[in-house]
Amino acid sequence: MTEATQLQHLVTELDILIRARYGLISVSTFEETRFRRLMTAVAQLPRHQGKGLFLWSRVQGLRQIAGNQPLLTPRPLPDTDDPFAALDFIAQADSGLFVLADYGPYLAPFGQQEPQLVRRLRELAWTIKTRPVTVLFVDPAFPELPALEKEVKRVDLPLPDEDEVQALLDLQLERLADNPDVALDLGVRAKEQLVQALLGLTESEIENALAKAVIAYRGLSALVLPLILDEKRSVIRQSGALTYTHPEPADHLGGYPHLRQLLQEAAVTFTPAAKAYGAASTKGLLLVGLPGTGKDLTKKIASSILGRPLLDLDMAAVMGEGGGVIGSAAISIKRALSIATTLKGILGIGEYEKAVGGMQSSARTDGGETARTIAHLLNWLQEQQEVFVVATANDVRQLAPEQVRQGRFSHVVFVDLPTLEDRAAIFAVHLAK
């Protein structure tokens, strides 16, 4: 992809949805400022220049922030700070793009549907269907309400890709170029490494990490890479569901030559030559066997052989250690999988049989929260093409057929107790240490 291709694709997608008269659109993202820039670009397209771009928040009310038509007022429109009042104003508008920030909590306060507001939103969707009016909700997660399932179109805003990170880095370098107190010494290779190190962060996190590096090292050079990686690990750790794990050298896996061969073959499928040939990337491995047979070690070895970062997914943290706000698990799993997809790394899932268990009883115990979260994970395993997944399980009998079928994993491998030759190789590894 060329620079800004992902952003241009997002602008095009939003443009198509608006022109197709999708009245209510939900965009899930933590990056409200970035989304507002995208919407400003959409509002500047010739076909939307007659519309104003409005932003609503509970704090400031509704105000126009862009559009070729004259601004109605430099201040928020009066009597539009209430969630109901904002919808009443939109219902009377002849045209416009209305971005409502953090509106979801008012639709489902404390996890319970607010029936009057939900009904008002449904009626608004029917009212604006024939007008050039679009309402876009932007918040980390829009509540999944059955009553709005057919009215709201859901869109995810992905994290910045390599081209966007490169553009952000170039912008920062341009700003620092004239500062005599800052030393810039980034060659082509160092810039590539810095871009890779910044992948998986939001735009504001990238800017903060670069600012911290500039202050700590009085400039940018290859020396800042460890600091950037530490900052990245800290950010990923704060997500609660992911842990950034260090790889193990490939020669630390003693024995199991068949397993090592599978990892080496998987590494080849991710090379540019394999992609140019049209070969499909290996989806991942499900390792099944007794505890203590090296399944978790294999994840770290895979990171070394494939040359990709290893992220461990903690499903207990995703589900809130036994409870939490309705919808929080969906936010956590989507954010975790978005980071893994952006990094194009290795995703480790320990005790897979427990991670995907509990779907049958979910409707009775937590209103279907667990079932929806696991379904999202399983759908991602089926559709994703860029991440190598290494899941481990002790008891395959607890897994349903749809949880292990072809398409979610390339191979299901039984990791048995080590043979005599395997034991000799394992002893050799430890003696060499």
Side-chain angles (χ1 to χ4, degrees):
M1 287 181 135
T2 59
E3 196 278 316
T5 298
Q6 175 174 273
L7 292 178
Q8 185 58 49
H9 171 74
L10 292 169
V11 170
T12 302
E13 181 181 1
L14 289 170
D15 171 45
I16 291 174
L17 292 176
I18 292 169
R19 292 166 58 196
R21 297 294 173 84
Y22 282 80
L24 307 181
I25 302 173
S26 166
V27 181
S28 298
T29 179
F30 287 92
E31 302 182 274
E32 181 182 319
T33 302
R34 181 166 168 244
F35 175 71
R36 284 165 58 180
R37 281 207 319 274
L38 286 175
M39 284 306 303
T40 300
V42 172
Q44 291 173 350
L45 295 175
R47 60 183 65 93
H48 300 303
Q49 285 183 353
K51 307 174 184 177
L53 175 61
F54 298 82
L55 175 67
W56 178 90
S57 71
R58 187 67 172 87
V59 176
Q60 298 192 26
L62 193 66
R63 64 191 189 279
Q64 187 176 349
I65 59 174
N68 280 358
Q69 66 184 45
L71 296 181
L72 297 178
T73 172
R75 295 179 297 277
L77 301 172
D79 302 323
T80 58
D81 56 339
D82 181 80
F84 280 96
L87 299 187
D88 292 338
F89 182 91
I90 296 171
Q92 298 173 9
D94 295 326
S95 65
L97 304 173
F98 297 88
V99 177
L100 309 187
D102 296 330
Y103 198 88
Y106 299 103
L107 293 169
F110 308 105
Q112 300 296 321
Q113 176 178 308
E114 211 296 318
Q116 284 187 315
L117 193 56
V118 170
R119 178 62 190 183
R120 184 69 186 91
L121 198 56
R122 294 186 68 197
E123 292 181 355
L124 175 65
W126 303 331
T127 300
I128 64 177
K129 187 66 176 177
T130 58
R131 300 185 208 162
V133 174
T134 306
V135 180
L136 301 104
F137 304 96
V138 55
D139 47 11
F142 193 77
E144 296 187 5
L145 303 176
L148 297 175
E149 183 178 332
K150 302 302 181 182
E151 272 75 35
V152 179
K153 172 67 177 178
R154 296 176 181 270
V155 178
D156 289 322
L157 184 65
L159 291 169
D161 63 357
E162 291 185 38
D163 297 321
E164 196 173 348
V165 172
Q166 178 71 61
L168 289 170
L169 177 58
D170 290 340
L171 179 61
Q172 294 300 320
L173 291 174
E174 183 180 341
R175 290 173 177 173
L176 296 170
D178 298 329
N179 191 330
D181 299 325
V182 175
L184 302 178
D185 183 20
L186 283 177
V188 175
R189 177 58 181 162
K191 285 184 68 174
E192 291 176 352
Q193 292 175 327
L194 191 54
V195 168
Q196 292 300 318
L198 292 168
L199 279 176
L201 303 180
T202 65
E203 184 180 280
S204 61
E205 289 167 348
I206 290 172
E207 293 173 347
N208 289 341
L210 289 174
K212 181 179 179 180
V214 169
I215 294 172
Y217 288 88
R218 300 185 66 83
L220 286 177
S221 66
L223 297 176
V224 307
L225 285 171
L227 184 147
I228 294 292
L229 289 173
D230 285 340
E231 189 70 12
K232 180 176 179 175
R233 292 188 188 99
S234 175
V235 170
I236 290 176
R237 195 181 304 117
Q238 288 174 5
S239 70
L242 290 176
T243 303
Y244 198 105
T245 306
H246 292 286
E248 287 276 351
D251 57 5
H252 282 193
L253 178 64
Y256 301 104
H258 176 60
L259 188 54
R260 185 189 299 273
Q261 181 182 352
L262 286 177
L263 294 176
Q264 292 170 343
E265 292 174 354
V268 174
T269 65
F270 287 97
T271 61
K275 294 184 181 298
Y277 188 74
S281 301
T282 304
K283 303 279 287 196
L285 304 177
L286 174 58
L287 306 179
V288 183
L290 295 173
T293 52
K295 298 188 296 297
D296 288 325
L297 174 62
T298 302
K299 293 187 294 186
K300 300 178 181 179
I301 299 297
S303 177
S304 179
I305 292 177
L306 274 72
R308 293 181 164 218
L310 171 60
L311 301 174
D312 268 313
L313 178 64
D314 185 354
M315 284 298 289
V318 169
M319 299 310 301
E321 295 288 355
V325 178
I326 297 298
S328 61
I331 299 174
S332 298
I333 193 68
K334 287 180 180 180
R335 188 182 184 196
L337 297 181
S338 176
I339 292 173
T341 303
T342 303
L343 287 179
K344 300 179 182 178
I346 296 174
L347 183 68
I349 308 176
E351 298 186 322
Y352 180 70
E353 74 275 28
K354 297 179 181 177
V356 297
M359 293 188 70
Q360 290 77 12
S361 60
S362 176
R364 300 190 305 273
T365 58
D366 59 12
E369 178 79 356
T370 298
R372 288 191 295 270
T373 304
I374 294 174
H376 187 84
L377 173 62
L378 294 177
N379 289 335
W380 180 86
L381 289 172
Q382 182 72 31
E383 300 297 330
Q384 68 88 19
Q385 299 290 335
E386 300 291 343
V387 180
F388 185 74
V389 180
V390 181
T392 63
N394 296 329
D395 189 354
V396 72
R397 293 172 299 179
Q398 298 183 29
L399 295 171
E402 67 271 12
Q403 295 169 347
V404 297
R405 65 179 173 84
Q406 190 74 17
R408 296 201 164 105
F409 298 97
S410 297
H411 304 281
V412 179
V413 181
F414 176 63
V415 184
D416 202 353
L417 293 173
T419 64
L420 184 62
E421 292 80 7
D422 293 333
R423 277 177 275 170
I426 293 170
F427 270 105
V429 169
H430 289 278
L431 289 173
K433 292 181 180 180

